[in-house]
Structure formats: structure tokens, C-alpha cells
Amino acid sequence: MKKNDINCYERFLFFGGGVMAERLYNQIDCAEKKLIGVFDLFDDDKRAVSSFKNHRIKNVREYSKELNNVNVAIVVAIGHFAVFKIVNNLLKAYPYISDRLFVANPYSSLRFFMVDDELAAEERVPFTDEKYTKVRNLLNDKESLTHFDLLIKSKPYESVSDSYELIPYESIKDMYYYTEDYWNTYSFSQVVNDNCATVIDCGAYIGDSVVSIVNAIPQKNVDYYALEPLAENVEKMKANCEFNTICKSFNVLEFGVGDENKKLYFHIPANNDKEGGRFTDDPQGAIDSLDIRKIDDIPFQVNGTLYIKMDIEGSELPALKGALNTIIKFHPYLAICLYHRKNDLVDIPLYIDSLGINYKFYLRGGYHTILWAIPE
């Protein structure tokens, strides 16, 4: 048996009981396949698919015999960041399963937990040798080059359509981690001549990365602008007094960023599952809305060195285009997430490079892939 080929197994134990798990199970090409059990950390009967209901299990320990069976494939099919914790806990408890542990390729459908998401349906631009060489030549250290090559191997660039696939954990384990330290792992080698900094945090969420960003940058007098379009997250940030103590000023702006000033409307699917909701330009039937602004049109007061961080669910490239004048004027340090859209790994570094600013480029973050553009 080829342990790294999911189709060579006949018995399967699944972790994850949602739509993605069902799709992945149905794709397994084995005539005699048998589903032993489905363990779902999200104990929600509404979420579970009907074909899995008779196989749901509550206690993994009761299936130790199956976990010990070398002929049983262990599949983790969860489209949630909790997947890293689940995999680590499994391997800690059952280290001998690593060579028959399969995970959903996080780079085959980057938003696989959003079944009807337009980003998941987006076509992948064919990846040519010319593009590969261009991007690779931009990267400035061995870690970035290794990172890039692992990502290219993980992403199915030979396919332009949306896809779901199971891959051996062993083949992706070096990239199978998640971090939101946007600057902490970068050593600032340049001498900084000012004591002031301005941070524009696009996609600030509840401020979960504010402290790490402020602590990581060398300047200590920081004017911080936290941009977040969702009102409930804005209120949580405003209520956090710590941010005002570590920043010279902490400003919360309730809107998202893009390449034009407009309003988007939030719609939820027929099953009322907000996690499957999406923003569109259509106001009819919407339950909420948000304002989108160009960074160039926001009256920021930039003092000292400018840092821009973007973690905005696939809107990074439009937001960069909406910040064109700001980038050209201030040459900011950039920390841009590349993992939301299928083509961002290529399109975003090439776009930033096309602006003619002398940037050095680095890749960090594993699954949560971040591009750092450092001005020289």
C-alpha cells in the first residue's frame, strides 16, 4: 500500500463533519471504501451533513483501535484555523498516525469553508515559468525562497478551477502552521532615524495584533489607525484601554478599504448561516452594509515612518491600488496577507514591484502567508 495515496485506503476516520468533509469523502476513488466514524469539534446538528449523521462519534478515545490500525486513513477536513490545533493534538496523542494522516490542502481552495464564496470560485491565472522567475527573483532571503517553493508545490496552479483535495500531512507539514505576528519575526536591519511611527492597520478585527505590531516596530511614539468595517469589532477595540497606553494616539475608523469609495451590502444564504454570508454591491435583501474607502482619500496624519498592514479577506490588491499615492509618497513598510485569493501570491508582489519603489521582499507566516515589503 502507498501510505501517501488516499485512494489506496478502504477505511476512513474523519475529523470534520461539514460540507467540505462530505465533498472530500465523495472524491476518494475507492469502490470498497468504508466510513468508520466522523468526529466533529463543532457540535452543531445544523452544520452536519445528512450523509454523515449516522457515523458521528463523540469520544475519539473509543476509536483507539481504529487509530492504531495501519489500514485506516485519518482525515482532518475542517476549514477553520482550529485545524492546526486539532492536527497538533492528534499527533501528540497518536504520533504513529503521521504517515497516514491527510488534511485538506489549504491552498487548493483558499476559502473552502465558504462554500458559495466568490473568492473560492475565482479562476486561477495559469502560472508560467516567467512569472515564477519574476517573483522568485524579488525575494531576499533563503527562508523566503524556501517558503515560496513550498507554496508553489502546495497550490494546484495547473488547475484554473476551484478544487478540493486531500493531501498527506507529511507533504505540507513545513508550511502547516499559523501566525499573526506581522512584524515580530523580521529583524529591522536599517538604522531608523526618527522616533515616531504611523501604523495603518487594515482589517484590525478586535485589535488582536495591535500589541505585537507596536512592540515589534523600533519607534516608540506610535500613531495607530485601526480600520475595521464591522461595528461589533469596532466597539471591542474602543473598549480596550490598553491600546491608548501603548500608543501615542489610537484611532478606530469604521470602514474597510479598497480601490474605490463605495458601500457594500451583506447577504446571508437561505439557511441563515452568517458564516456563509457575503458582501455584494446589491442592497436588495441585505441585512447589513459597510463603507469602503480608498486609503489615498482618508485624511491620515503621517508622522515618522509609515507601516501598513493588510489582512482583509481578499481585498488586499484593490486596497493597495487605492493606496497608490500614499505608497509613492511615503514608501511605507508593508505587511500584506497573500493567502485569501488564489493569485495573490504572484499578483501582489509583482504589483508592488511595478510601482518603481526600491523594496526588499520577504515571505513569512506559513498557512497565513504574509508578504513583507521593506523599503531600502
Side-chain angles (χ1 to χ4, degrees):
M1 176 190 292
K2 294 181 180 179
K3 288 188 175 182
N4 61 353
D5 184 353
I6 189 70
N7 297 311
C8 289
Y9 291 84
E10 294 183 351
R11 294 161 61 82
F12 303 90
L13 184 61
F14 262 67
F15 289 78
V19 173
M20 184 186 72
E22 183 183 46
R23 288 190 186 184
L24 289 168
Y25 180 69
N26 290 337
Q27 283 179 196
I28 297 172
D29 187 16
C30 173
E32 303 297 326
K33 66 183 177 184
K34 180 180 179 181
L35 185 61
I36 297 172
V38 176
F39 181 78
D40 198 351
L41 267 70
F42 303 96
D43 190 15
D44 182 357
D45 288 334
K46 294 180 181 178
R47 197 184 91 86
V49 294
S50 58
S51 62
F52 280 3
K53 281 190 175 179
N54 294 331
H55 298 280
R56 297 189 75 181
I57 60 178
K58 296 292 184 181
N59 191 342
V60 177
R61 292 184 180 88
E62 295 177 3
Y63 285 75
S64 294
K65 183 178 179 181
E66 284 75 13
L67 286 163
N68 281 310
N69 189 336
V70 296
N71 295 314
V72 174
I74 314 301
V75 178
V76 179
I78 296 173
H80 188 280
F81 290 135
V83 68
F84 303 102
K85 185 176 182 180
I86 295 164
V87 168
N88 287 335
N89 287 343
L90 266 176
L91 290 172
K92 185 177 180 180
Y94 309 98
Y96 43 81
I97 69 171
S98 64
D99 61 351
R100 51 192 173 89
L101 174 63
F102 295 83
V103 295
N105 187 350
Y107 302 106
S108 63
S109 179
L110 300 191
R111 304 261 299 183
F112 46 56
F113 57 96
M114 305 280 273
V115 178
D116 297 318
D117 195 322
E118 62 185 18
L119 300 190
E122 180 183 58
E123 287 193 351
R124 192 186 302 280
V125 174
F127 192 64
T128 63
D129 290 341
E130 181 184 8
K131 281 188 177 181
Y132 172 86
T133 302
K134 280 184 177 180
V135 177
R136 206 173 190 281
N137 286 343
L138 293 176
L139 301 175
N140 276 269
D141 67 351
K142 184 177 180 180
E143 184 175 348
S144 297
L145 292 169
T146 301
H147 216 84
F148 182 67
D149 288 337
L150 284 168
L151 286 167
I152 293 301
K153 290 177 182 177
S154 301
K155 294 189 178 202
Y157 276 94
E158 68 279 1
S159 171
V160 296
S161 62
D162 184 36
S163 61
Y164 293 77
E165 65 173 349
L166 283 170
I167 57 174
Y169 167 75
E170 290 288 332
S171 71
I172 199 175
K173 63 181 180 181
D174 290 336
M175 292 297 297
Y176 210 70
Y177 64 92
Y178 178 84
T179 176
E180 283 189 330
D181 284 344
Y182 296 95
W183 294 113
N184 273 357
T185 49
Y186 178 75
S187 175
F188 291 92
S189 57
Q190 291 180 297
V191 176
V192 178
N193 295 319
D194 53 33
N195 294 318
C196 300
T198 302
V199 175
I200 300 176
D201 183 349
C202 305
Y205 184 45
I206 58 173
D208 52 338
S209 55
V210 172
V211 174
S212 65
I213 290 175
V214 172
N215 287 338
I217 63 179
Q219 299 90 350
K220 298 308 171 189
N221 295 315
V222 179
D223 293 306
Y224 204 104
Y225 293 90
L227 279 62
E228 171 56 43
L230 300 181
E232 58 194 75
N233 295 337
V234 166
E235 291 307 312
K236 290 178 181 178
M237 277 193 286
K238 288 181 177 179
N240 193 325
C241 298
E242 180 185 8
F243 299 154
N244 288 308
T245 63
I246 63 173
C247 299
K248 178 184 174 184
S249 67
F250 185 76
N251 312 279
V252 182
L253 305 179
E254 192 175 337
F255 41 75
V257 288
D259 56 358
E260 59 180 321
N261 300 319
K262 62 181 180 180
K263 189 178 286 287
L264 291 178
Y265 301 90
F266 188 65
H267 299 260
I268 58 174
N271 63 2
N272 290 321
D273 179 9
K274 286 190 176 182
E275 287 192 4
R278 61 196 298 188
F279 284 98
T280 73
D281 294 319
D282 182 11
Q284 188 171 358
I287 65 167
D288 202 354
S289 65
L290 60 82
D291 290 317
I292 303 295
R293 305 278 184 87
K294 293 170 61 177
I295 286 177
D296 285 343
D297 292 341
I298 301 172
F300 297 112
Q301 183 66 45
V302 177
N303 296 310
T305 303
L306 177 61
Y307 298 83
I308 298 178
K309 163 248 174 179
M310 292 183 180
D311 188 351
I312 44 179
E313 308 305 316
S315 296
E316 286 83 2
L317 185 55
L320 285 166
K321 292 179 178 179
L324 175 62
N325 295 332
T326 301
I327 294 172
I328 290 175
K329 181 178 180 180
F330 294 104
H331 295 194
Y333 287 73
L334 300 172
I336 313 297
C337 285
L338 299 186
Y339 70 100
H340 293 113
R341 301 190 88 122
K342 296 176 181 178
N343 302 302
D344 281 350
L345 179 66
V346 174
D347 289 348
I348 286 179
L350 290 181
Y351 173 74
I352 296 173
D353 184 59
S354 74
L355 302 181
I357 299 169
N358 197 12
Y359 274 113
K360 288 186 175 180
F361 294 88
Y362 302 85
L363 288 182
R364 296 293 189 271
Y367 178 107
H368 186 252
T369 310
I370 302 167
L371 174 73
W372 295 336
I374 311 298
E376 292 191 87

